[in-house]
């Protein structure tokens, strides 16, 4: 039986599209699982502090794995994710890839944040005030100690609600990704009904998506 050329071409095209898509789906699912499980070994904040504490701040995957007590595969997952999220940047000497933070950390100290395992509206206000209303992903991780996957999900929701803006801007000595707190929420009382409703909605979203434990 001779297969119709058009059908053959369609099958080949479908396989060409489906196989890479399945591969990527499996890859990102596995990486997400690795990132979540290794949080028990080293938090995102402590992971980034490895770069801050190292002379020069440039480290290879193998060096990060050793300092973080991770396997090279686990370290690669964390490094790749942070690079994609514009928290770390990378460069190469042709043989090895090195990673570094976009800017030196600014530790604002104890900001009196809420005990909630997520960012409340009041927490956002305190963080933006402490960082002079110029906040990067690393700033949020250092200030809160929360996993970036939780913070990132919150930022997307806050943007949808019109509370913040997320932008990419070339700022020397700082991350290419920046967050801006919108005017109406800079001084919104944390006791207001709107702030309380936003906090409750955020908590429910994170619980529904299994981002809170």
């Amino acid at each position: 039986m001779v297969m119709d050329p058009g059908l053959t071409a369609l099958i080949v095209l479908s396989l060409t599209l489906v196989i890479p898509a399945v591969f990527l789906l499996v890859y990102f699912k596995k990486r997400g699982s690795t990132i979540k499980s290794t949080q028990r070994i080293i938090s995102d904040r402590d992971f980034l502090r490895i770069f801050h504490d190292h002379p020069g701040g440039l480290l290879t995957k193998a060096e990060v794995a050793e300092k973080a007590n991770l396997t090279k595969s686990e370290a690669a997952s964390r490094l790749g994710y942070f690079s994609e999220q514009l928290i770390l940047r990378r460069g190469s000497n042709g043989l090895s890839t090195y990673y570094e933070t976009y800017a030196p950390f600014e530790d604002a100290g104890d900001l009196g944040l809420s005990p909630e395992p997520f960012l409340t509206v009041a927490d956002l206000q305190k963080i933006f005030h402490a960082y002079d209303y110029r906040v990067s992903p690393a700033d949020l991780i250092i200030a809160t100690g929360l996993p970036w996957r939780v913070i990132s999900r919150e930022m997307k929701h806050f943007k949808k609600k019109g509370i913040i803006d997320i932008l990419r801007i070339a700022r020397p000595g700082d991350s290419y990704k920046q967050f801006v707190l919108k005017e109406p929420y800079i001084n919104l009382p944390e006791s207001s009904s709107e702030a309380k409703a936003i906090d409750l909605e955020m908590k429910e979203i994170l619980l529904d998506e299994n981002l809170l434990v």
Side-chain angles (χ1 to χ4, degrees), residues 19-52:
I19 292 176
V22 171
F23 174 80
L24 287 174
L25 181 63
V26 172
Y27 168 76
F28 283 116
K29 185 175 182 180
K30 182 180 179 181
R31 191 182 71 171
S33 177
T34 299
I35 291 169
K36 183 177 180 179
S37 65
T38 56
Q39 289 286 334
R40 291 190 286 268
I41 300 173
I42 184 168
S43 68
D44 283 349
R45 177 159 62 184
D46 288 340
F47 188 84
L48 293 182
R49 279 178 172 160
I50 290 175
F51 296 88
H52 176 72

PDB file of all heavy atoms in Angstrom, residues 19-52:
ATOM      1  N   ILE A  19       6.957  16.113  18.741  1.00  0.00           N
ATOM      2  CA  ILE A  19       8.061  15.535  19.509  1.00  0.00           C
ATOM      3  C   ILE A  19       8.839  16.596  20.287  1.00  0.00           C
ATOM      4  O   ILE A  19       9.068  16.437  21.498  1.00  0.00           O
ATOM      5  CB  ILE A  19       8.993  14.717  18.593  1.00  0.00           C
ATOM      6  CG1 ILE A  19       8.262  13.467  18.102  1.00  0.00           C
ATOM      7  CG2 ILE A  19      10.272  14.318  19.331  1.00  0.00           C
ATOM      8  CD1 ILE A  19       9.047  12.639  17.112  1.00  0.00           C
ATOM      9  N   PRO A  20       9.245  17.707  19.650  1.00  0.00           N
ATOM     10  CA  PRO A  20       9.931  18.744  20.432  1.00  0.00           C
ATOM     11  C   PRO A  20       9.051  19.332  21.538  1.00  0.00           C
ATOM     12  O   PRO A  20       9.535  19.637  22.629  1.00  0.00           O
ATOM     13  CB  PRO A  20      10.277  19.809  19.389  1.00  0.00           C
ATOM     14  CG  PRO A  20      10.305  19.086  18.095  1.00  0.00           C
ATOM     15  CD  PRO A  20       9.236  18.041  18.223  1.00  0.00           C
ATOM     16  N   ALA A  21       7.745  19.477  21.249  1.00  0.00           N
ATOM     17  CA  ALA A  21       6.832  20.039  22.249  1.00  0.00           C
ATOM     18  C   ALA A  21       6.731  19.116  23.464  1.00  0.00           C
ATOM     19  O   ALA A  21       6.741  19.580  24.606  1.00  0.00           O
ATOM     20  CB  ALA A  21       5.451  20.258  21.636  1.00  0.00           C
ATOM     21  N   VAL A  22       6.640  17.808  23.205  1.00  0.00           N
ATOM     22  CA  VAL A  22       6.575  16.836  24.300  1.00  0.00           C
ATOM     23  C   VAL A  22       7.876  16.850  25.093  1.00  0.00           C
ATOM     24  O   VAL A  22       7.870  16.820  26.331  1.00  0.00           O
ATOM     25  CB  VAL A  22       6.289  15.422  23.757  1.00  0.00           C
ATOM     26  CG1 VAL A  22       6.445  14.382  24.868  1.00  0.00           C
ATOM     27  CG2 VAL A  22       4.888  15.354  23.167  1.00  0.00           C
ATOM     28  N   PHE A  23       8.990  16.909  24.377  1.00  0.00           N
ATOM     29  CA  PHE A  23      10.301  16.954  25.030  1.00  0.00           C
ATOM     30  C   PHE A  23      10.407  18.166  25.950  1.00  0.00           C
ATOM     31  O   PHE A  23      10.859  18.055  27.100  1.00  0.00           O
ATOM     32  CB  PHE A  23      11.405  17.003  23.973  1.00  0.00           C
ATOM     33  CG  PHE A  23      12.784  17.194  24.551  1.00  0.00           C
ATOM     34  CD1 PHE A  23      13.486  16.122  25.089  1.00  0.00           C
ATOM     35  CD2 PHE A  23      13.370  18.455  24.570  1.00  0.00           C
ATOM     36  CE1 PHE A  23      14.756  16.303  25.641  1.00  0.00           C
ATOM     37  CE2 PHE A  23      14.636  18.645  25.115  1.00  0.00           C
ATOM     38  CZ  PHE A  23      15.323  17.568  25.656  1.00  0.00           C
ATOM     39  N   LEU A  24       9.986  19.331  25.445  1.00  0.00           N
ATOM     40  CA  LEU A  24      10.060  20.553  26.254  1.00  0.00           C
ATOM     41  C   LEU A  24       9.136  20.477  27.462  1.00  0.00           C
ATOM     42  O   LEU A  24       9.494  20.921  28.556  1.00  0.00           O
ATOM     43  CB  LEU A  24       9.689  21.769  25.396  1.00  0.00           C
ATOM     44  CG  LEU A  24      10.738  22.215  24.374  1.00  0.00           C
ATOM     45  CD1 LEU A  24      10.178  23.323  23.496  1.00  0.00           C
ATOM     46  CD2 LEU A  24      12.010  22.682  25.075  1.00  0.00           C
ATOM     47  N   LEU A  25       7.946  19.902  27.263  1.00  0.00           N
ATOM     48  CA  LEU A  25       6.998  19.763  28.360  1.00  0.00           C
ATOM     49  C   LEU A  25       7.581  18.890  29.465  1.00  0.00           C
ATOM     50  O   LEU A  25       7.516  19.238  30.654  1.00  0.00           O
ATOM     51  CB  LEU A  25       5.692  19.157  27.846  1.00  0.00           C
ATOM     52  CG  LEU A  25       4.575  18.961  28.880  1.00  0.00           C
ATOM     53  CD1 LEU A  25       4.140  20.313  29.434  1.00  0.00           C
ATOM     54  CD2 LEU A  25       3.391  18.244  28.257  1.00  0.00           C
ATOM     55  N   VAL A  26       8.162  17.767  29.085  1.00  0.00           N
ATOM     56  CA  VAL A  26       8.776  16.858  30.063  1.00  0.00           C
ATOM     57  C   VAL A  26       9.958  17.532  30.748  1.00  0.00           C
ATOM     58  O   VAL A  26      10.136  17.438  31.968  1.00  0.00           O
ATOM     59  CB  VAL A  26       9.226  15.555  29.382  1.00  0.00           C
ATOM     60  CG1 VAL A  26      10.043  14.697  30.338  1.00  0.00           C
ATOM     61  CG2 VAL A  26       8.018  14.772  28.881  1.00  0.00           C
ATOM     62  N   TYR A  27      10.760  18.254  29.949  1.00  0.00           N
ATOM     63  CA  TYR A  27      11.949  18.929  30.490  1.00  0.00           C
ATOM     64  C   TYR A  27      11.567  19.969  31.540  1.00  0.00           C
ATOM     65  O   TYR A  27      12.124  19.998  32.641  1.00  0.00           O
ATOM     66  CB  TYR A  27      12.725  19.601  29.352  1.00  0.00           C
ATOM     67  CG  TYR A  27      13.788  20.549  29.831  1.00  0.00           C
ATOM     68  CD1 TYR A  27      15.003  20.079  30.347  1.00  0.00           C
ATOM     69  CD2 TYR A  27      13.579  21.924  29.784  1.00  0.00           C
ATOM     70  CE1 TYR A  27      15.971  20.957  30.798  1.00  0.00           C
ATOM     71  CE2 TYR A  27      14.549  22.808  30.245  1.00  0.00           C
ATOM     72  CZ  TYR A  27      15.745  22.321  30.743  1.00  0.00           C
ATOM     73  OH  TYR A  27      16.695  23.209  31.196  1.00  0.00           O
ATOM     74  N   PHE A  28      10.605  20.834  31.207  1.00  0.00           N
ATOM     75  CA  PHE A  28      10.234  21.906  32.137  1.00  0.00           C
ATOM     76  C   PHE A  28       9.515  21.362  33.370  1.00  0.00           C
ATOM     77  O   PHE A  28       9.674  21.896  34.469  1.00  0.00           O
ATOM     78  CB  PHE A  28       9.367  22.953  31.429  1.00  0.00           C
ATOM     79  CG  PHE A  28      10.149  23.879  30.546  1.00  0.00           C
ATOM     80  CD1 PHE A  28       9.953  23.897  29.177  1.00  0.00           C
ATOM     81  CD2 PHE A  28      11.102  24.726  31.085  1.00  0.00           C
ATOM     82  CE1 PHE A  28      10.688  24.733  28.362  1.00  0.00           C
ATOM     83  CE2 PHE A  28      11.851  25.584  30.276  1.00  0.00           C
ATOM     84  CZ  PHE A  28      11.638  25.589  28.913  1.00  0.00           C
ATOM     85  N   LYS A  29       8.753  20.288  33.188  1.00  0.00           N
ATOM     86  CA  LYS A  29       8.091  19.673  34.335  1.00  0.00           C
ATOM     87  C   LYS A  29       9.118  19.070  35.294  1.00  0.00           C
ATOM     88  O   LYS A  29       9.033  19.241  36.514  1.00  0.00           O
ATOM     89  CB  LYS A  29       7.111  18.597  33.872  1.00  0.00           C
ATOM     90  CG  LYS A  29       6.295  17.994  35.014  1.00  0.00           C
ATOM     91  CD  LYS A  29       5.256  17.016  34.493  1.00  0.00           C
ATOM     92  CE  LYS A  29       4.426  16.454  35.642  1.00  0.00           C
ATOM     93  NZ  LYS A  29       3.390  15.499  35.150  1.00  0.00           N
ATOM     94  N   LYS A  30      10.119  18.386  34.723  1.00  0.00           N
ATOM     95  CA  LYS A  30      11.168  17.795  35.545  1.00  0.00           C
ATOM     96  C   LYS A  30      11.992  18.873  36.225  1.00  0.00           C
ATOM     97  O   LYS A  30      12.340  18.767  37.402  1.00  0.00           O
ATOM     98  CB  LYS A  30      12.070  16.911  34.678  1.00  0.00           C
ATOM     99  CG  LYS A  30      13.176  16.218  35.473  1.00  0.00           C
ATOM    100  CD  LYS A  30      14.042  15.348  34.583  1.00  0.00           C
ATOM    101  CE  LYS A  30      15.159  14.696  35.391  1.00  0.00           C
ATOM    102  NZ  LYS A  30      16.037  13.855  34.519  1.00  0.00           N
ATOM    103  N   ARG A  31      12.292  19.948  35.483  1.00  0.00           N
ATOM    104  CA  ARG A  31      13.078  21.031  36.064  1.00  0.00           C
ATOM    105  C   ARG A  31      12.312  21.708  37.197  1.00  0.00           C
ATOM    106  O   ARG A  31      12.875  22.032  38.235  1.00  0.00           O
ATOM    107  CB  ARG A  31      13.455  22.059  35.005  1.00  0.00           C
ATOM    108  CG  ARG A  31      14.491  23.067  35.518  1.00  0.00           C
ATOM    109  CD  ARG A  31      14.838  24.105  34.498  1.00  0.00           C
ATOM    110  NE  ARG A  31      13.748  25.041  34.271  1.00  0.00           N
ATOM    111  CZ  ARG A  31      13.875  26.148  33.540  1.00  0.00           C
ATOM    112  NH1 ARG A  31      15.017  26.418  32.937  1.00  0.00           N
ATOM    113  NH2 ARG A  31      12.849  26.968  33.367  1.00  0.00           N
ATOM    114  N   GLY A  32      11.019  21.909  36.994  1.00  0.00           N
ATOM    115  CA  GLY A  32      10.206  22.519  38.038  1.00  0.00           C
ATOM    116  C   GLY A  32      10.188  21.675  39.299  1.00  0.00           C
ATOM    117  O   GLY A  32      10.255  22.202  40.413  1.00  0.00           O
ATOM    118  N   SER A  33      10.108  20.359  39.118  1.00  0.00           N
ATOM    119  CA  SER A  33      10.129  19.446  40.262  1.00  0.00           C
ATOM    120  C   SER A  33      11.475  19.516  40.980  1.00  0.00           C
ATOM    121  O   SER A  33      11.530  19.505  42.216  1.00  0.00           O
ATOM    122  CB  SER A  33       9.848  18.022  39.787  1.00  0.00           C
ATOM    123  OG  SER A  33       9.935  17.104  40.850  1.00  0.00           O
ATOM    124  N   THR A  34      12.564  19.602  40.208  1.00  0.00           N
ATOM    125  CA  THR A  34      13.902  19.685  40.795  1.00  0.00           C
ATOM    126  C   THR A  34      14.070  20.980  41.572  1.00  0.00           C
ATOM    127  O   THR A  34      14.592  20.987  42.697  1.00  0.00           O
ATOM    128  CB  THR A  34      14.982  19.616  39.694  1.00  0.00           C
ATOM    129  OG1 THR A  34      14.875  18.373  39.016  1.00  0.00           O
ATOM    130  CG2 THR A  34      16.371  19.759  40.285  1.00  0.00           C
ATOM    131  N   ILE A  35      13.612  22.082  40.999  1.00  0.00           N
ATOM    132  CA  ILE A  35      13.719  23.381  41.671  1.00  0.00           C
ATOM    133  C   ILE A  35      12.953  23.361  42.988  1.00  0.00           C
ATOM    134  O   ILE A  35      13.437  23.843  44.017  1.00  0.00           O
ATOM    135  CB  ILE A  35      13.190  24.503  40.752  1.00  0.00           C
ATOM    136  CG1 ILE A  35      14.136  24.689  39.566  1.00  0.00           C
ATOM    137  CG2 ILE A  35      13.032  25.807  41.517  1.00  0.00           C
ATOM    138  CD1 ILE A  35      13.588  25.575  38.472  1.00  0.00           C
ATOM    139  N   LYS A  36      11.766  22.778  42.963  1.00  0.00           N
ATOM    140  CA  LYS A  36      10.949  22.719  44.177  1.00  0.00           C
ATOM    141  C   LYS A  36      11.587  21.831  45.236  1.00  0.00           C
ATOM    142  O   LYS A  36      11.660  22.205  46.415  1.00  0.00           O
ATOM    143  CB  LYS A  36       9.547  22.200  43.834  1.00  0.00           C
ATOM    144  CG  LYS A  36       8.598  22.174  45.019  1.00  0.00           C
ATOM    145  CD  LYS A  36       7.217  21.714  44.577  1.00  0.00           C
ATOM    146  CE  LYS A  36       6.251  21.694  45.760  1.00  0.00           C
ATOM    147  NZ  LYS A  36       4.882  21.260  45.334  1.00  0.00           N
ATOM    148  N   SER A  37      12.073  20.656  44.841  1.00  0.00           N
ATOM    149  CA  SER A  37      12.632  19.715  45.813  1.00  0.00           C
ATOM    150  C   SER A  37      13.937  20.218  46.422  1.00  0.00           C
ATOM    151  O   SER A  37      14.203  19.987  47.607  1.00  0.00           O
ATOM    152  CB  SER A  37      12.850  18.346  45.162  1.00  0.00           C
ATOM    153  OG  SER A  37      13.830  18.414  44.145  1.00  0.00           O
ATOM    154  N   THR A  38      14.740  20.930  45.635  1.00  0.00           N
ATOM    155  CA  THR A  38      16.030  21.388  46.165  1.00  0.00           C
ATOM    156  C   THR A  38      15.894  22.613  47.061  1.00  0.00           C
ATOM    157  O   THR A  38      16.868  23.038  47.679  1.00  0.00           O
ATOM    158  CB  THR A  38      17.016  21.708  45.017  1.00  0.00           C
ATOM    159  OG1 THR A  38      16.430  22.677  44.127  1.00  0.00           O
ATOM    160  CG2 THR A  38      17.375  20.454  44.246  1.00  0.00           C
ATOM    161  N   GLN A  39      14.681  23.168  47.146  1.00  0.00           N
ATOM    162  CA  GLN A  39      14.455  24.256  48.101  1.00  0.00           C
ATOM    163  C   GLN A  39      14.714  23.777  49.528  1.00  0.00           C
ATOM    164  O   GLN A  39      15.061  24.583  50.408  1.00  0.00           O
ATOM    165  CB  GLN A  39      13.024  24.777  47.990  1.00  0.00           C
ATOM    166  CG  GLN A  39      12.725  25.562  46.741  1.00  0.00           C
ATOM    167  CD  GLN A  39      13.329  26.950  46.745  1.00  0.00           C
ATOM    168  OE1 GLN A  39      13.556  27.531  47.798  1.00  0.00           O
ATOM    169  NE2 GLN A  39      13.618  27.468  45.570  1.00  0.00           N
ATOM    170  N   ARG A  40      14.537  22.470  49.752  1.00  0.00           N
ATOM    171  CA  ARG A  40      14.768  21.923  51.088  1.00  0.00           C
ATOM    172  C   ARG A  40      16.261  21.860  51.413  1.00  0.00           C
ATOM    173  O   ARG A  40      16.648  21.760  52.575  1.00  0.00           O
ATOM    174  CB  ARG A  40      14.143  20.534  51.210  1.00  0.00           C
ATOM    175  CG  ARG A  40      12.620  20.555  51.204  1.00  0.00           C
ATOM    176  CD  ARG A  40      12.058  19.200  51.563  1.00  0.00           C
ATOM    177  NE  ARG A  40      12.197  18.251  50.469  1.00  0.00           N
ATOM    178  CZ  ARG A  40      11.260  18.058  49.536  1.00  0.00           C
ATOM    179  NH1 ARG A  40      10.150  18.757  49.562  1.00  0.00           N
ATOM    180  NH2 ARG A  40      11.456  17.171  48.565  1.00  0.00           N
ATOM    181  N   ILE A  41      17.077  21.880  50.371  1.00  0.00           N
ATOM    182  CA  ILE A  41      18.527  21.845  50.558  1.00  0.00           C
ATOM    183  C   ILE A  41      19.083  23.257  50.699  1.00  0.00           C
ATOM    184  O   ILE A  41      19.884  23.536  51.595  1.00  0.00           O
ATOM    185  CB  ILE A  41      19.207  21.121  49.374  1.00  0.00           C
ATOM    186  CG1 ILE A  41      18.689  19.686  49.277  1.00  0.00           C
ATOM    187  CG2 ILE A  41      20.734  21.136  49.537  1.00  0.00           C
ATOM    188  CD1 ILE A  41      19.171  18.957  48.036  1.00  0.00           C
ATOM    189  N   ILE A  42      18.641  24.143  49.818  1.00  0.00           N
ATOM    190  CA  ILE A  42      19.105  25.529  49.865  1.00  0.00           C
ATOM    191  C   ILE A  42      18.029  26.438  49.284  1.00  0.00           C
ATOM    192  O   ILE A  42      17.506  26.195  48.193  1.00  0.00           O
ATOM    193  CB  ILE A  42      20.441  25.704  49.113  1.00  0.00           C
ATOM    194  CG1 ILE A  42      20.956  27.140  49.251  1.00  0.00           C
ATOM    195  CG2 ILE A  42      20.348  25.277  47.663  1.00  0.00           C
ATOM    196  CD1 ILE A  42      22.396  27.312  48.783  1.00  0.00           C
ATOM    197  N   SER A  43      17.662  27.475  50.022  1.00  0.00           N
ATOM    198  CA  SER A  43      16.628  28.405  49.574  1.00  0.00           C
ATOM    199  C   SER A  43      17.155  29.274  48.440  1.00  0.00           C
ATOM    200  O   SER A  43      18.362  29.380  48.212  1.00  0.00           O
ATOM    201  CB  SER A  43      16.186  29.301  50.737  1.00  0.00           C
ATOM    202  OG  SER A  43      17.241  30.192  51.108  1.00  0.00           O
ATOM    203  N   ASP A  44      16.247  29.929  47.746  1.00  0.00           N
ATOM    204  CA  ASP A  44      16.670  30.828  46.674  1.00  0.00           C
ATOM    205  C   ASP A  44      17.539  31.961  47.221  1.00  0.00           C
ATOM    206  O   ASP A  44      18.506  32.375  46.577  1.00  0.00           O
ATOM    207  CB  ASP A  44      15.444  31.416  45.962  1.00  0.00           C
ATOM    208  CG  ASP A  44      14.793  30.421  45.015  1.00  0.00           C
ATOM    209  OD1 ASP A  44      15.404  29.363  44.759  1.00  0.00           O
ATOM    210  OD2 ASP A  44      13.684  30.701  44.529  1.00  0.00           O
ATOM    211  N   ARG A  45      17.181  32.467  48.393  1.00  0.00           N
ATOM    212  CA  ARG A  45      17.971  33.559  48.968  1.00  0.00           C
ATOM    213  C   ARG A  45      19.393  33.099  49.277  1.00  0.00           C
ATOM    214  O   ARG A  45      20.360  33.794  48.938  1.00  0.00           O
ATOM    215  CB  ARG A  45      17.294  34.095  50.242  1.00  0.00           C
ATOM    216  CG  ARG A  45      18.110  35.186  50.934  1.00  0.00           C
ATOM    217  CD  ARG A  45      17.258  36.045  51.845  1.00  0.00           C
ATOM    218  NE  ARG A  45      16.654  35.285  52.925  1.00  0.00           N
ATOM    219  CZ  ARG A  45      15.793  35.829  53.810  1.00  0.00           C
ATOM    220  NH1 ARG A  45      15.464  37.112  53.715  1.00  0.00           N
ATOM    221  NH2 ARG A  45      15.278  35.095  54.763  1.00  0.00           N
ATOM    222  N   ASP A  46      19.532  31.942  49.901  1.00  0.00           N
ATOM    223  CA  ASP A  46      20.875  31.442  50.218  1.00  0.00           C
ATOM    224  C   ASP A  46      21.632  31.048  48.949  1.00  0.00           C
ATOM    225  O   ASP A  46      22.859  31.172  48.891  1.00  0.00           O
ATOM    226  CB  ASP A  46      20.785  30.248  51.168  1.00  0.00           C
ATOM    227  CG  ASP A  46      20.374  30.665  52.571  1.00  0.00           C
ATOM    228  OD1 ASP A  46      20.521  31.866  52.903  1.00  0.00           O
ATOM    229  OD2 ASP A  46      19.890  29.802  53.331  1.00  0.00           O
ATOM    230  N   PHE A  47      20.897  30.588  47.940  1.00  0.00           N
ATOM    231  CA  PHE A  47      21.519  30.245  46.658  1.00  0.00           C
ATOM    232  C   PHE A  47      22.165  31.481  46.038  1.00  0.00           C
ATOM    233  O   PHE A  47      23.311  31.447  45.580  1.00  0.00           O
ATOM    234  CB  PHE A  47      20.467  29.662  45.714  1.00  0.00           C
ATOM    235  CG  PHE A  47      21.007  29.088  44.444  1.00  0.00           C
ATOM    236  CD1 PHE A  47      21.487  27.789  44.390  1.00  0.00           C
ATOM    237  CD2 PHE A  47      21.034  29.847  43.277  1.00  0.00           C
ATOM    238  CE1 PHE A  47      21.984  27.247  43.206  1.00  0.00           C
ATOM    239  CE2 PHE A  47      21.525  29.320  42.093  1.00  0.00           C
ATOM    240  CZ  PHE A  47      22.003  28.015  42.058  1.00  0.00           C
ATOM    241  N   LEU A  48      21.443  32.603  46.051  1.00  0.00           N
ATOM    242  CA  LEU A  48      21.985  33.830  45.480  1.00  0.00           C
ATOM    243  C   LEU A  48      23.113  34.396  46.323  1.00  0.00           C
ATOM    244  O   LEU A  48      24.043  35.032  45.803  1.00  0.00           O
ATOM    245  CB  LEU A  48      20.870  34.867  45.328  1.00  0.00           C
ATOM    246  CG  LEU A  48      19.780  34.546  44.310  1.00  0.00           C
ATOM    247  CD1 LEU A  48      18.767  35.679  44.233  1.00  0.00           C
ATOM    248  CD2 LEU A  48      20.368  34.283  42.938  1.00  0.00           C
ATOM    249  N   ARG A  49      23.053  34.165  47.618  1.00  0.00           N
ATOM    250  CA  ARG A  49      24.109  34.682  48.495  1.00  0.00           C
ATOM    251  C   ARG A  49      25.451  34.003  48.232  1.00  0.00           C
ATOM    252  O   ARG A  49      26.495  34.550  48.576  1.00  0.00           O
ATOM    253  CB  ARG A  49      23.701  34.497  49.959  1.00  0.00           C
ATOM    254  CG  ARG A  49      22.750  35.594  50.436  1.00  0.00           C
ATOM    255  CD  ARG A  49      22.327  35.384  51.862  1.00  0.00           C
ATOM    256  NE  ARG A  49      21.572  36.535  52.358  1.00  0.00           N
ATOM    257  CZ  ARG A  49      20.766  36.518  53.399  1.00  0.00           C
ATOM    258  NH1 ARG A  49      20.602  35.383  54.083  1.00  0.00           N
ATOM    259  NH2 ARG A  49      20.131  37.609  53.787  1.00  0.00           N
ATOM    260  N   ILE A  50      25.429  32.822  47.626  1.00  0.00           N
ATOM    261  CA  ILE A  50      26.679  32.159  47.246  1.00  0.00           C
ATOM    262  C   ILE A  50      27.479  33.066  46.314  1.00  0.00           C
ATOM    263  O   ILE A  50      28.703  33.201  46.451  1.00  0.00           O
ATOM    264  CB  ILE A  50      26.384  30.806  46.567  1.00  0.00           C
ATOM    265  CG1 ILE A  50      25.843  29.794  47.582  1.00  0.00           C
ATOM    266  CG2 ILE A  50      27.648  30.257  45.890  1.00  0.00           C
ATOM    267  CD1 ILE A  50      25.415  28.485  46.959  1.00  0.00           C
ATOM    268  N   PHE A  51      26.797  33.699  45.371  1.00  0.00           N
ATOM    269  CA  PHE A  51      27.465  34.604  44.431  1.00  0.00           C
ATOM    270  C   PHE A  51      27.921  35.879  45.134  1.00  0.00           C
ATOM    271  O   PHE A  51      29.010  36.385  44.870  1.00  0.00           O
ATOM    272  CB  PHE A  51      26.524  34.952  43.275  1.00  0.00           C
ATOM    273  CG  PHE A  51      26.134  33.772  42.430  1.00  0.00           C
ATOM    274  CD1 PHE A  51      25.031  32.991  42.770  1.00  0.00           C
ATOM    275  CD2 PHE A  51      26.875  33.419  41.325  1.00  0.00           C
ATOM    276  CE1 PHE A  51      24.683  31.888  42.000  1.00  0.00           C
ATOM    277  CE2 PHE A  51      26.532  32.321  40.548  1.00  0.00           C
ATOM    278  CZ  PHE A  51      25.431  31.559  40.893  1.00  0.00           C
ATOM    279  N   HIS A  52      27.072  36.371  46.024  1.00  0.00           N
ATOM    280  CA  HIS A  52      27.391  37.593  46.761  1.00  0.00           C
ATOM    281  C   HIS A  52      28.634  37.408  47.635  1.00  0.00           C
ATOM    282  O   HIS A  52      29.464  38.324  47.758  1.00  0.00           O
ATOM    283  CB  HIS A  52      26.192  37.983  47.630  1.00  0.00           C
ATOM    284  CG  HIS A  52      26.431  39.172  48.502  1.00  0.00           C
ATOM    285  ND1 HIS A  52      26.512  40.455  48.001  1.00  0.00           N
ATOM    286  CD2 HIS A  52      26.622  39.276  49.846  1.00  0.00           C
ATOM    287  CE1 HIS A  52      26.730  41.295  48.988  1.00  0.00           C
ATOM    288  NE2 HIS A  52      26.805  40.617  50.109  1.00  0.00           N
TER     289      HIS A  52
END
